[in-house]
Every structure is written in structure tokens, then in C-alpha cells.
Amino acid sequence: MGEAIRYLEKENKKFTNIHYFVVTDADRIARPDDIAEAFTLEQNIEALGVKIVTVNNKRDMETDEGKFLHTIQYAIAGLERRKILRRVMNGKLSSMKSG
């Protein structure tokens, strides 16, 4: 994601302006341990004048309900990330035990 933001910064300083950052879902932007990290990433993208567009779920950041659902989506993404890491670690431990 850092590389994508650097690309946006570089390209938007040229004559080409990138107006949209398209992702399938908001959790493609980040699967944070800390939800604030995800919102910081979004703010960094939007500070460049780039609007984030999600294909599968409409982002409604104008209402309290929309903001709440967006926060929940990042919380679920963070939980999923931790579950994946735990499964990978368990798989590595199991492989080590079996030689």
C-alpha cells in the first residue's frame, strides 16, 4: 500500500492526475491491527486529491451509520488477518514437529 501511495504522490505531481483509487472492498486497503492505521492510509490517499471507490460495497462516509459500518469492516479485516497469521504459524509448527 505504501508503494501505491508513493506512486499516487509521484504521478499527481506530474501532468497526469489520478482521480480515483479503485478497490474491490475497503479491506483491500488494509487489514490493520489498529483501525486507526487504516483510516490514516485512507486519509493519505484522499489528501492527494484521490477519491477511494469500492466496487463491491458502496462507501457511505457521510452518515454515522456508514462510518460505523466502515469501521466494523476494518475490524473484521483485522480479525481475519490475525486468524490467517495464526493458521500459518500453526502450520509451520506442525511441519517442524513432523520433521
Side-chain angles (χ1 to χ4, degrees), residues 41-58:
L41 281 171
E42 284 188 3
Q43 289 170 350
N44 290 342
I45 293 168
E46 291 170 348
L48 297 169
V50 178
K51 180 176 172 51
I52 299 170
V53 177
T54 56
V55 176
N56 292 335
N57 294 322
K58 184 177 182 255

Side-chain angles (χ1 to χ4, degrees), residues 79 81-92:
L79 172 65
R81 176 181 176 271
R82 289 186 297 278
K83 285 171 53 177
I84 290 168
L85 290 173
R86 189 171 48 249
R87 285 186 205 127
V88 168
M89 193 56 122
N90 287 341
K92 286 182 179 182

